Amino acid sequence: MSIDLSGLSAKELATLIRDAQKRKTVVAKRQPIAKARAQVAAAAKKAGYTIEELFGTAAATKAPRATKAAKSTGKTGRKLPKVAPKYRNPANAEETWTGRGKQPRWLAEYTKAGRKVEEFLIK
């Protein structure tokens, strides 16, 4: 996270630092979310309820946050099947596109020049 502080005065910076330190203290005192979630589930069970009864089915099925490992690899929990490429760059056979998502730069350049996407279909 990057914040541009160059436009702030000394007084504004001091206020920002003070507010950030207050927030840091509050966040540091909180218990981990998994522990809080377990306590809520235990209290509901003790009272004879389930999480679904109290908060609805979405609360019980809510996925936990991604771990650091998943964040660093850029992968999400959603699994998509592999798709065979449909288009190939004639100038570089290594460059292909499945037809899903944003067009690659090489194909966008060709289409701007007046060529049709169908010309690049892999036969």
Side-chain angles (χ1 to χ4, degrees):
M1 182 170 95
S2 177
I3 300 173
D4 183 18
L5 304 174
S6 61
L8 299 179
S9 68
K11 186 176 179 180
E12 291 170 327
L13 283 170
T15 304
L16 180 64
I17 290 169
R18 185 186 70 241
D19 292 346
Q21 287 174 338
K22 283 182 186 176
R23 180 68 183 145
K24 183 180 176 184
T25 303
V26 169
V27 170
K29 288 181 182 178
R30 296 191 316 186
Q31 59 183 320
I33 195 166
K35 187 175 180 181
R37 187 177 288 133
Q39 287 175 346
V40 169
K45 186 176 180 180
K46 185 177 179 182
Y49 294 99
T50 65
I51 295 295
E52 294 86 6
E53 290 175 312
L54 295 175
F55 302 107
T57 57
T61 60
K62 190 172 183 179
R65 290 186 177 175
T67 62
K68 278 188 175 182
K71 285 181 185 176
S72 65
T73 59
K75 294 185 178 182
T76 62
R78 201 170 108 188
K79 303 290 182 195
L80 296 176
K82 294 283 183 181
V83 179
K86 291 173 63 178
Y87 304 94
R88 176 166 283 130
N89 183 352
N92 182 356
E94 295 290 318
E95 295 179 331
T96 58
W97 182 47
T98 62
R100 293 185 176 183
K102 190 175 177 182
Q103 274 187 353
R105 288 184 183 143
W106 61 266
L107 187 56
E109 288 174 9
Y110 281 124
T111 55
K112 276 185 184 177
R115 294 181 69 179
K116 298 194 183 291
V117 175
E118 293 80 26
E119 295 177 37
F120 304 99
L121 278 169
I122 299 173
K123 294 178 174 71

